[in-house]
Each structure stands twice: as structure tokens, then as C-alpha cells.
Amino acid sequence: MSSLTEGILLTDQYQLTMAQVYFRLGIHEKPALFEYFYRKNPDYGQHQAGYGVFAGLDPLLEWMETARFGTEELEVLRSHKTRAGKPLFGSDFLAWMGRNGSFDGLTLRAVAEGRVVHPQVPLVAIEGPLAQAQLLETALLNKLNFETLIATKSSRIREAAGPAAYILDMGLRRAASGAGNAATRAALIGGANRSSNVGMSHELGLQAAGTHAHSMVQAFMALGMGELEAFRAFAEVYPDDTVLLVDTVDVLESGIPNAIKVFEELKRKGHRPIGIRLDSGDLAYLSIRAAQMLDKAGFADVSIVLSSELDELVIWQIHTQIREEAPRYGVDADALIKRLVFGVGTRMVTSWGQPALNGVYKVVAVQDGGEWKPAIKVSESIEKVLNPGRKKVWRLYDERGLASADLLTLFDEDPRAERSLTLHHPSEAGKLRKVNVEVCRLEPLHAEVWLGKRLLEPQPLEVLRERHRKDVELLDPGVRRLINPHTYHVSLSSRLWQLKNQMIEALTQGE
Amino acid sequence: MSSLTEGILLTDQYQLTMAQVYFRLGIHEKPALFEYFYRKNPDYGQHQAGYGVFAGLDPLLEWMETARFGTEELEVLRSHKTRAGKPLFGSDFLAWMGRNGSFDGLTLRAVAEGRVVHPQVPLVAIEGPLAQAQLLETALLNKLNFETLIATKSSRIREAAGPAAYILDMGLRRAASGAGNAATRAALIGGANRSSNVGMSHELGLQAAGTHAHSMVQAFMALGMGELEAFRAFAEVYPDDTVLLVDTVDVLESGIPNAIKVFEELKRKGHRPIGIRLDSGDLAYLSIRAAQMLDKAGFADVSIVLSSELDELVIWQIHTQIREEAPRYGVDADALIKRLVFGVGTRMVTSWGQPALNGVYKVVAVQDGGEWKPAIKVSESIEKVLNPGRKKVWRLYDERGLASADLLTLFDEDPRAERSLTLHHPSEAGKLRKVNVEVCRLEPLHAEVWLGKRLLEPQPLEVLRERHRKDVELLDPGVRRLINPHTYHVSLSSRLWQLKNQMIEALTQGE
């Protein structure tokens, strides 16, 4: 695949045909304002997210720095034909694209990467020449939708596993082709401690982690040796990092007894064995039996790595089953849960149950005669009507210090200057509540990250992870629930609410 | 993101740690045989695939050509530490990797890309030095799993839409970040006629296709103009390619009437309008009403493009509803169905319902003393036991010329030389049937595609598409059903069946 396919031509054809329409009308350089937001938190079927985790911003800014129309890209457009066989794009338009087909004229205001976010809230506001802003849509959606989706799933897996659990991302082989690195990054932002992905882990300043595969044991067996020899060979090479996969032959009869033998040998040589891994079968039951056997052999501190189609519900179920069943085998449930490591793959990196985020990129205002004119789109369903105009975004913390609502206001409003605020439901009239600003804290959520060029330097992974962890802690426990979570409020200020309703009325009467 | 993350380090850590174990034991250069296959056809919940479509091979071979350990990659491994803080990889192993850390020693035999494939059948056989073969696993799975998954979904969408329907891939914005181009390619192999993806379409020799977005109409409205002016401007620039999105304001009251006005203007100027697009609401009902209005205005030949969360079931439902409801509005259902164009996005490029293929990469034999020793893995479930040894793969066509089974044999078997064959179920003993070879045709499915370097040159998209279409035509209609399809038989020869059972018995008695 050529680099041509990863640059500015990573776009939908209609962005280009619309840009030419704007060019012909002379409105291509009119300042326009687009917003990126998603309409609903992921719904995985039996369980639903109560919040999202914003991710993908840095990769987007990195892409924007180099994506532009060069000779090759223009050549591609020059080859496009109308149905009548004439050139689809005029040479004057292509000349303009050669000079301006980049993101040099845009300003981006965005929520910080890693933060907890909510539906309807503009996560990025994109301002600049209409044609340039339009041109960013496809790549922006492609990058932000996916990483936000995966960081959200990863955050839920962290919620299920608990704050102290060790979570390993092993999803690369089942991630979408080409999306493995983005998935790894998002998984690490949202809650995974480490990843098996060698290149991307290094890029993010981490060392990749992993165990071994069944193939190692099988290869030894095919060569006339056995599981024990395979384990021994592994331990010989990695005496301080020995994690043994115990389910190639038979977990209880062969795998664990062989692992224990090798652990004893390691111990005699002064090394501490790290763990075993279970990759099939009834993971809760087998981990109890493994703990029982390991404890008896004096390896109560050895980790038990679980893998095989894990997600937040499966982890929750494993915890529950262990709490119920472990005592019957004389195993301390809490101690067992503490030593578990979760190897999570397919279901995290594909966001199983909802494999795409419904994030959209909508024009909300266009400048005319120096003034911002709000834009709207009226669909059949009132919930889908856009929140029009140039806006600011705020997070409201209540007396307890917990995040209690996100608030959208007009750009020239500063709710911090008010004594009390009225929070309006975005679509249901009459659904509103008053808030005493004096006992609350209001935090502006947007910051400029791009002004013709990148303003925000790449931030260390640890900064994003810490930001995410802090934000989750500030949520109401009801919003953090894995199933049927409480709805976090996203509200409009009175002035924004009035603007929206005036526009809807005007449009409806106009028909 | 650096190119480092897209090269040979696009791998799981354990491939490298296992390679070092093999190196220490001196078995790293022993010839080994791995197979890539998937265990079950995709199950989307309410509906299930009866077959798969193999895709991703050419991108894999392209990646293999350049992926190798260079100075930078070795530097990454050199920085890895054990828990005791020592170097994880020895300098002798790294020196070997510097010389041999590539795929120069491998041979790949594979099913041709675009072909219809089935569970349990080795789609690729990878033969070569154990460490090199192991090193290919992650990238191979990442690339083949995904494209096969998407080509399969796309093929089903083609089945639902019918052979003559025009299908447009518009999934780029909702595809996983970085996977948009692979998704486009697979969608085009499996059934989509065109894609909106500009760069990748060009790469594949097609011109991207598209319409326009709501934002164009909204921008015009914000600037004090209206939908009609927006449509007119588009038609002015693209008089031979006018497709108008009619649902920004109100489909029946505004969108279609305005589109008809503009179509009339185009017609007067001697141009043929192409179509309208519906992107929300009850698509079946609205397309009937649209057809009614367009027919009346003399535009019976104008296409009706449908989009918005389409998949095979939704398309099927739209067809069904149109057949039932169209006559009531005086609209010819067949004529309407013929003019529909399907814009398919999210649900195709994410394989909604099953967003990952369960493809695996398993060692099935290792050479020792010049002889291939079969390898096996015995899990709890008998269906998951590997088919061991070096094998050949055949497709059996019955008297009608339809594909009736895929057959796995030992490598030295040629079933074409037999008079009759016994086909064994891969796991259920006693489930077998006899076939008279003389009335059948047996086709070998594997061909060498890599022998230290690429043997198979990239093939034009049209070749892969044609191959896929032909193969689908050779399936029994029951296997092509969208819901609850008939199970296509995948069988073992008597000799392979015996080998498998002997190995299982030996392993079970060995415990």
C-alpha cells in the first residue's frame, strides 16, 4: 500500500466534490465551524457504557501535520472523470487545492485526551475555511471514533477488574488490519497496564509483555519431548520472567503439576516464578483449583493469568464465581482475586457488541459578513436535531466535588459569572433544573490544540492515563455501573436553548 | 506513528521470547509447519454466514517483503529487560535475528484470494525455520482475519441486494483507525461495486464514488440560501453526476420536490440526472414515495440511493417491504428495486454482530531427522482438536458441478487417483460418507505463493472479484442462505482421520 492511501486522500470522495462546489460559488474560504460529537454511549447489548473516554486526538494532530495535497495527490484528482468523460475537477480548483489543500487555516478546540466524555458534547470544534474544514471530516471521524470506542471499552474492563488488577492487552492479532496500533494505544489509555504489541508499546515508552503460546509446547511434543521439557526450557531462558501456559495438554493433570515442578527448580536456583496462564475452559473453576495446587506447593504469590474472550461481564462473572466457589475448595477468594492477571484481546480491541462509535462531524455555524450564523439540521427525531452555533463546553462539579453535568453555552457566555444557572435538557422542553453556581465548580473543557499548526505537543501516555483515572473517580457510582448505568446530564444554557428553539420554529414555519 | 510500529515489530512479545527459547535449544532452524484456519463461520447473532471469503493475502505478502529486523528494530529488543533488570534478549540471539529475522526462509501455500472458504480448512500453510514461522503469526492473523471477515460480510450484503444492485462502500469514517483501507479493499472483493475512499480506490484502479453531505445544504442555509440553491449549485458543477441528498430538511415536502426542480433544469440543458439519496427514516416507505414522485415527474430512470446503517438483513427487509407496499402506491416494486443503490458503511466495515474472525495459527508438524512429525493440541472440546500433520486441501464438485465438500488429505495422498473416497467428519467418529470419484471433480485448493520471496504477483481487483462471484455461484443455495444456512461439509480422508485418532489415543494413554 502506498503512502498515498494514508495521507490526505484518506477521505470520502464527496468531501472533494463538495469543496469544488464551494469553490465555484466563492464560499470555500468562508469561515465555518464544525463539531465532532457522538450521539449515544456504546450499547453492547446486555450491557451499556455510562460514559465515554476521549482518545485519538494526538494521532489525529500528527496526521494533520503532514496530510496535504502534493503533486501525486493532485494527479489522482486530475484523473477523475465525470460520467460524460470530462475532468471531474477543474484546473483552477486543483490549483487552489495545491496551495490550500491542507489544514493550515484551521483552529481546533478540543477536550483533553483521556478525559471522561458524554454524548452530545462537542469533543472537538473545528473552525476555518469551509473547504478545509470539510476536508478534515473523514480522517477525523476515522481516528477519533475508533480510539474513543476502544478506550471506553478498556475503561469498563478496568472497572470490572478493579483498580489493582493487572490487565494485559493481547488484541493485536484480532484487531482490524492496520488498526492494531491504534487499538493498543487506546487500550493503554483506558485501563490496560501493558500490551503484547512490541512496536507500539515501545513507541509509547513501555516494554511489551507476554507469556508463550501453545505452539511452543506442541513443537516440543512433536520433537519427542513433552510439556515439562518445554516449561523447563522456557524457565531456563527466562528465570526471572517465567509465566507458563498450562492448558496445552490437560490443566489439572499435566499443566499445573509440570509448572510446579519447574517453579520448584527455579526457586532452588534463587529465582521467583511469576505465573501460570489459563487460556481455555471454566476459568473461574480452574483458577480456584490452580490456586489450591499452587498454594499447597508454596507458590501463593504466583500470578494466575486468565485469557480467552474476556470482557467486562466475563471478568465480573469470574469474580462472582470465585467468591462463591473458592471457599468450598479452601481457597481464600480475595487472595485469589488479587493474584489474577487478565489477558484481554478480541473483545476489547473490537469493542465487541458495539464495534463502531456513532460519532459525527456536523457544521453548526458559518461566518457571513464577520458574523457567525448558526446552522441546524432538522431530522425526523427531535433528539437528532443539532445544537446550533458557536459554543463553549463546561463541566459542573457539585458540592461533593463529583461531576454532575456537562453544560453547553453560547461562546460569549461565562456561566462562572452567574449566581444561578438553568440547565435545560437538550431536546425535551420543560425538563430543566436550577443550579446555585456558588456551591459548584465550573471547568471549561475545551482548549486550543491546533492553530494553523499543532499547539499541543504529544503527551506522555502516563499523563493521559492519570487524567482518565482521575476523571473516572469523579463520576457518580451510578454512572460507572456496568449495566443500565445512570444517565449523566448534558444540558444547554438558557440562551443556547432559546437559539435552538427559535431556529427549529423558523425552519418549521418556513415550509 | 513511526514506521517502526508497522514493520516486523507489529508482533506480540511472546513470538520473540519463544524464538529465543528455540534459539537456545538449537531448534530455531528446524523446519516447522503452521496452518492458518478459522474455526467457525461468522455468527452475527440473528443471522449466520454459511461460508467465508478469503481476503488479505496480497497485503500480507506485500508486508512480508519489507518486514525484517534492521538496526532500529534490534535496538528496541536490546532495550528490553528482564524483571531482574538484565537484557531480556542475548546478543547472540539478536545477531541471529539481524541475519535471519525476516521471512526469507519460508514457503507459503495458500488458497487463492477471493475464493469461498470454509471452517477448519487450512487457508495458508506456512513452512520453514521454526523461529521464522513463529514470527509471522501476529501479522498474518491481523491481516487475514480482518479482510476475510469484511469480504465475507460484503459478500452477504451482495447476496441480499441481488446480483444487479449497485453497492457503494461508504465505511471509511466508521472503520477502525488505520483499517479503513483494508476494509475498502475487502468490501470491494466481497461485493461492493465502488467505494467512497479516494486513495484506496485509486490504488485499486477504481475511481471513488459519492454524493454530498447534509453539511452542504446546512452551509447554504446558514448563509441565507436554501436547499434548492444548494441542489442547484451542485448540479451546476456536476451536471452529469448529480445525486442529491434529500433529507436535510424534509424528504417529501422539501427534498424531493427541490430535487425534481433541479432535475428538470438539468434535463432542459441536455443532461441526465443520476439520483437522489435517502439517509434517514423509513427507507422502504420513503423510497416508494420518492419513486412515485420521480415517476410522475418523468424521472423513472433516476437512481434512489439508500444509506443509514444498512446490512444484509436491513436490505432484505427493504426489498420485502417494497414488494408488499409499493403496489398500494401504484409503484412497480420490481422497477423500484432495480433502481435502488445501497450505500453501506458501518455495519459492513466492522462486520457488525461479529467484529472479529476467530482465525488461528497453529503448528501442525515439525521436521526431525528429515521427517515431518505431526503436532497436535488436545483441548477440552473435541471440535477444537487440531487436524495434525502436513496436508493437502481439495474441493469436491458433485455431478451438478456444485461444490459439495472440502477435503483434507495427507500431503502424499492424491484422491484423484482413487476410484472412491471416504469422507470423514473431522471430529465425530462414524459420521462418514462414500463418494464415487469418477462422477466428481477434485480441485486442489493450495498453490505456492511465497518461496523465500513473493511468487504471486499482485492481482487486479477484478480478478479477485470475478473469482469470488464464480465461487459463490458454485455453492448450494442452502449454503448461501442469510439465516441458518446449510452446513457445508469439510471432511478428512481416511488416512488423515486415522492419524488424528492415533495421536489423540497416544496422548490420552500417555497421561
Side-chain angles (χ1 to χ4, degrees):
Chain A
M1 201 180 295
S2 73
S3 64
L4 202 64
T5 59
E6 298 294 342
I8 201 155
L9 295 186
L10 189 76
T11 191
D12 292 307
Q13 172 84 346
Y14 75 12
Q15 314 293 8
L16 301 170
T17 48
M18 283 192 285
Q20 184 170 243
V21 171
Y22 301 148
F23 178 82
R24 289 274 161 262
L25 262 81
I27 60 171
H28 54 299
E29 290 181 342
K30 264 195 193 299
L33 172 59
F34 285 75
E35 285 177 350
Y36 168 69
F37 62 94
Y38 65 88
R39 296 191 196 275
K40 281 174 68 182
N41 285 319
D43 182 338
Y44 311 96
Q46 313 132 308
H47 45 127
Q48 304 79 30
Y51 62 90
V53 179
F54 182 49
L57 183 62
D58 184 64
L60 172 68
L61 298 179
E62 194 180 331
W63 180 84
M64 286 173 69
E65 283 189 295
T66 57
R68 59 179 57 242
F69 273 94
T71 319
E72 259 194 305
E73 286 82 2
L74 291 172
E75 214 45 62
V76 172
L77 297 204
R78 204 164 283 129
S79 74
H80 282 204
K81 298 277 182 279
T82 68
R83 282 176 204 248
K86 294 180 217 153
L88 184 65
F89 299 106
S91 55
D92 52 347
F93 171 66
L94 291 179
W96 184 86
M97 284 294 257
R99 286 190 310 275
N100 301 286
S102 73
F103 307 111
D104 293 355
L106 300 184
T107 301
L108 268 63
R109 295 185 297 276
V111 171
E113 208 175 351
R115 293 213 61 169
V116 161
V117 290
H118 302 283
Q120 307 295 339
V121 176
L123 304 180
V124 187
I126 301 93
E127 222 172 275
L130 180 55
Q132 280 194 2
Q134 186 74 67
L135 205 56
L136 183 59
E137 177 177 18
T138 307
L140 180 144
L141 289 175
N142 181 253
K143 288 170 202 300
L144 299 184
N145 274 337
F146 179 67
E147 285 209 31
T148 299
L149 181 76
I150 304 308
T152 302
K153 190 75 171 175
S154 173
S155 178
R156 292 171 57 73
I157 288 165
R158 163 62 60 202
E159 289 286 278
Y166 198 90
I167 299 171
L168 176 62
D169 157 46
M170 316 192 317
L172 182 54
R173 62 191 52 200
R174 298 283 174 83
S177 174
N181 289 327
T184 296
R185 183 176 185 273
L188 290 169
I189 292 174
N193 296 75
R194 291 280 198 98
S195 169
S196 66
N197 182 338
V198 178
M200 196 60 187
S201 294
H202 181 81
E203 184 89 356
L204 296 168
L206 294 176
Q207 181 172 321
T211 61
H212 68 79
H214 297 115
S215 59
M216 193 183 78
V217 177
Q218 289 174 257
F220 273 73
M221 288 166 66
L223 292 171
M225 298 176 278
E227 193 183 48
L228 182 60
E229 284 88 341
F231 286 179
R232 212 167 253 154
F234 193 86
E236 188 97 6
V237 182
Y238 307 109
D240 300 306
D241 300 80
T242 299
V243 179
L244 300 170
L245 176 61
V246 296
D247 69 341
T248 306
V249 183
D250 185 303
V251 175
L252 300 177
E253 299 296 323
S254 169
I256 299 178
N258 282 333
I260 288 173
K261 272 185 211 140
V262 172
F263 289 170
E264 282 163 349
E265 292 164 12
L266 277 174
K267 207 171 160 184
R268 279 198 289 278
K269 292 184 199 151
H271 297 286
R272 198 174 78 79
I274 301 302
I276 61 161
R277 175 157 78 101
L278 297 164
D279 187 47
S280 57
D282 181 337
L283 296 179
Y285 168 75
L286 290 174
S287 65
I288 293 168
R289 296 296 309 274
Q292 195 184 31
M293 294 163 81
L294 289 166
D295 288 356
K296 199 174 150 204
F299 296 105
D301 54 345
V302 154
S303 292
I304 299 174
V305 185
L306 305 182
S307 56
S308 178
E309 303 296 314
L310 299 185
D311 66 9
E312 59 270 52
L313 284 208
V314 174
I315 291 172
W316 183 14
Q317 174 56 44
I318 288 171
H319 278 175
T320 306
Q321 189 179 339
I322 286 175
R323 287 218 175 78
E324 283 174 8
E325 214 168 337
R328 258 184 272 149
Y329 293 88
V331 170
D332 182 285
D334 286 333
L336 170 51
I337 286 172
K338 268 197 200 116
R339 76 202 282 190
L340 294 180
V341 170
F342 297 101
V344 189
T346 312
R347 284 169 190 259
M348 178 162 64
V349 300
T350 62
S351 183
W352 198 276
Q354 185 174 324
L357 187 72
N358 52 1
V360 293
Y361 186 91
K362 294 288 178 187
V363 63
V364 293
V366 184
Q367 226 184 70
D368 198 21
E371 216 184 304
W372 283 105
K373 309 280 185 185
I376 202 163
K377 172 179 176 282
V378 188
S379 305
E380 292 87 296
S381 54
I382 187 77
E383 317 91 62
K384 275 199 156 185
V385 175
L386 288 179
N387 296 310
R390 205 165 172 239
K391 296 184 281 291
K392 279 193 178 142
V393 179
W394 309 83
R395 184 153 294 168
L396 193 76
Y397 298 90
D398 64 16
E399 308 85 329
R400 302 169 298 167
L402 294 185
S404 74
D406 281 8
L407 173 66
L408 314 188
T409 69
L410 295 181
F411 200 78
D412 62 5
E413 286 188 81
D414 189 342
R416 290 170 298 190
E418 310 291 326
R419 295 192 112 199
S420 91
L421 279 175
T422 307
L423 308 184
H424 293 260
H425 186 280
S427 56
E428 293 181 37
K431 210 165 173 180
L432 44 86
R433 64 179 173 124
K434 290 245 182 228
V435 171
N436 180 350
V437 178
E438 280 162 11
V439 299
C440 293
R441 188 165 70 84
L442 273 156
E443 180 196 17
L445 286 185
H446 276 182
E448 276 189 0
V449 296
W450 178 276
L451 190 70
K453 60 189 175 53
R454 191 179 178 125
L455 288 182
L456 180 74
E457 287 307 303
Q459 295 172 293
L461 177 63
E462 204 37 64
V463 171
L464 310 186
R465 284 150 76 120
E466 189 50 32
R467 189 180 282 153
H468 163 251
R469 277 193 290 261
K470 268 195 186 156
D471 252 11
V472 171
E473 291 303 318
L474 294 176
L475 286 172
D476 189 278
V479 174
R480 294 171 68 175
R481 272 203 305 264
L482 292 179
I483 296 186
N484 196 20
H486 185 71
T487 302
Y488 181 91
H489 285 193
V490 174
S491 306
L492 309 189
S493 71
S494 295
R495 282 181 57 204
L496 177 56
W497 166 255
Q498 277 155 21
L499 171 68
K500 184 177 182 177
N501 280 278
Q502 279 160 10
M503 289 184 75
I504 295 174
E505 273 175 41
L507 210 65
T508 319
Q509 285 167 0
E511 279 168 17
Chain B
M1 201 180 298
S2 74
S3 64
L4 201 63
T5 59
E6 299 292 345
I8 201 155
L9 295 186
L10 189 77
T11 191
D12 291 307
Q13 172 84 347
Y14 76 11
Q15 314 292 8
L16 301 170
T17 48
M18 284 191 285
Q20 185 171 240
V21 171
Y22 301 148
F23 179 80
R24 289 274 161 262
L25 262 81
I27 59 171
H28 54 300
E29 290 181 343
K30 264 196 192 297
L33 172 59
F34 286 76
E35 285 177 350
Y36 168 69
F37 62 95
Y38 66 89
R39 295 191 196 277
K40 281 174 67 181
N41 285 319
D43 182 339
Y44 311 96
Q46 312 134 307
H47 45 125
Q48 304 80 29
Y51 62 91
V53 179
F54 182 50
L57 183 62
D58 184 65
L60 172 68
L61 298 179
E62 193 180 331
W63 179 84
M64 287 173 68
E65 285 189 294
T66 58
R68 58 178 60 241
F69 273 93
T71 318
E72 260 193 304
E73 286 81 3
L74 291 171
E75 213 44 64
V76 172
L77 297 203
R78 203 164 282 127
S79 74
H80 283 205
K81 299 275 181 279
T82 69
R83 282 176 205 247
K86 294 180 218 152
L88 184 67
F89 298 107
S91 55
D92 52 349
F93 172 65
L94 292 179
W96 184 85
M97 285 293 257
R99 287 191 308 274
N100 302 287
S102 72
F103 308 111
D104 293 355
L106 299 183
T107 301
L108 269 64
R109 294 186 296 276
V111 172
E113 208 176 351
R115 292 214 62 169
V116 162
V117 291
H118 302 283
Q120 307 296 339
V121 175
L123 305 180
V124 188
I126 302 95
E127 221 171 274
L130 180 56
Q132 280 194 2
Q134 186 73 65
L135 204 58
L136 183 60
E137 177 177 18
T138 307
L140 180 144
L141 289 175
N142 180 253
K143 289 172 201 300
L144 299 185
N145 275 338
F146 180 67
E147 284 208 31
T148 298
L149 181 75
I150 304 307
T152 303
K153 189 74 171 175
S154 173
S155 178
R156 292 171 57 74
I157 288 166
R158 163 62 60 200
E159 288 288 276
Y166 198 89
I167 299 171
L168 175 63
D169 156 46
M170 314 192 318
L172 182 54
R173 59 189 55 199
R174 298 285 173 79
S177 176
N181 290 328
T184 295
R185 182 176 185 276
L188 289 169
I189 292 173
N193 295 77
R194 291 281 197 98
S195 168
S196 67
N197 182 339
V198 178
M200 196 61 188
S201 294
H202 181 80
E203 185 89 356
L204 296 168
L206 294 176
Q207 180 172 322
T211 62
H212 67 79
H214 297 114
S215 59
M216 192 183 80
V217 177
Q218 288 175 259
F220 273 73
M221 288 166 69
L223 292 170
M225 299 177 278
E227 192 183 48
L228 181 61
E229 284 89 341
F231 286 179
R232 213 167 251 152
F234 193 88
E236 188 98 7
V237 181
Y238 306 109
D240 299 306
D241 300 81
T242 300
V243 179
L244 300 170
L245 175 61
V246 295
D247 70 341
T248 306
V249 184
D250 184 300
V251 174
L252 300 177
E253 298 296 324
S254 169
I256 299 178
N258 282 332
I260 288 175
K261 270 186 209 137
V262 171
F263 289 169
E264 282 164 346
E265 292 164 12
L266 277 174
K267 204 169 161 183
R268 279 197 292 276
K269 292 183 199 152
H271 297 286
R272 197 175 78 79
I274 301 302
I276 61 161
R277 175 158 77 101
L278 297 163
D279 187 46
S280 57
D282 181 336
L283 294 179
Y285 168 74
L286 290 174
S287 66
I288 294 169
R289 295 296 309 275
Q292 195 183 33
M293 293 162 82
L294 288 165
D295 289 356
K296 197 174 152 202
F299 296 105
D301 55 346
V302 155
S303 293
I304 300 174
V305 185
L306 305 183
S307 56
S308 178
E309 305 295 315
L310 298 186
D311 67 10
E312 59 271 49
L313 283 209
V314 175
I315 290 172
W316 183 14
Q317 174 56 44
I318 287 170
H319 278 174
T320 306
Q321 187 178 339
I322 286 174
R323 287 216 177 82
E324 283 173 9
E325 214 168 336
R328 259 184 273 150
Y329 293 87
V331 170
D332 182 287
D334 286 333
L336 170 50
I337 285 170
K338 267 197 200 117
R339 75 201 284 190
L340 293 181
V341 170
F342 297 101
V344 189
T346 312
R347 284 169 189 259
M348 177 162 64
V349 299
T350 62
S351 184
W352 198 275
Q354 183 172 324
L357 187 72
N358 51 2
V360 293
Y361 186 90
K362 295 288 178 190
V363 64
V364 293
V366 184
Q367 224 184 72
D368 199 20
E371 216 185 304
W372 284 103
K373 309 279 183 186
I376 202 163
K377 174 180 175 281
V378 187
S379 309
E380 292 85 301
S381 53
I382 187 78
E383 317 91 66
K384 275 198 158 189
V385 174
L386 289 179
N387 296 312
R390 203 159 174 246
K391 297 185 280 292
K392 278 192 178 144
V393 179
W394 309 84
R395 183 154 294 168
L396 192 77
Y397 298 89
D398 64 15
E399 308 84 331
R400 302 170 299 169
L402 295 185
S404 75
D406 281 7
L407 173 67
L408 314 189
T409 68
L410 294 182
F411 200 78
D412 62 5
E413 287 187 81
D414 189 341
R416 289 171 298 189
E418 310 292 324
R419 292 193 116 198
S420 92
L421 280 174
T422 307
L423 309 183
H424 293 259
H425 186 279
S427 55
E428 294 181 36
K431 212 166 173 179
L432 44 84
R433 62 180 174 120
K434 291 244 183 228
V435 172
N436 179 351
V437 178
E438 281 165 8
V439 300
C440 294
R441 187 164 71 84
L442 273 157
E443 180 196 17
L445 287 186
H446 276 182
E448 276 189 1
V449 296
W450 178 276
L451 190 70
K453 62 189 174 56
R454 191 178 176 126
L455 288 182
L456 180 75
E457 286 308 303
Q459 295 172 293
L461 176 64
E462 203 38 62
V463 171
L464 310 187
R465 284 150 76 121
E466 190 51 34
R467 188 181 282 155
H468 163 250
R469 276 192 292 261
K470 268 195 187 155
D471 252 10
V472 172
E473 292 302 319
L474 294 177
L475 287 172
D476 188 278
V479 175
R480 293 171 69 174
R481 272 203 303 265
L482 293 179
I483 295 186
N484 194 20
H486 186 70
T487 303
Y488 182 88
H489 285 196
V490 174
S491 306
L492 309 189
S493 71
S494 296
R495 282 182 57 205
L496 178 56
W497 167 254
Q498 278 154 21
L499 171 68
K500 183 176 181 177
N501 281 278
Q502 280 160 9
M503 289 185 75
I504 294 174
E505 271 175 42
L507 211 63
T508 320
Q509 285 168 358
E511 278 169 20

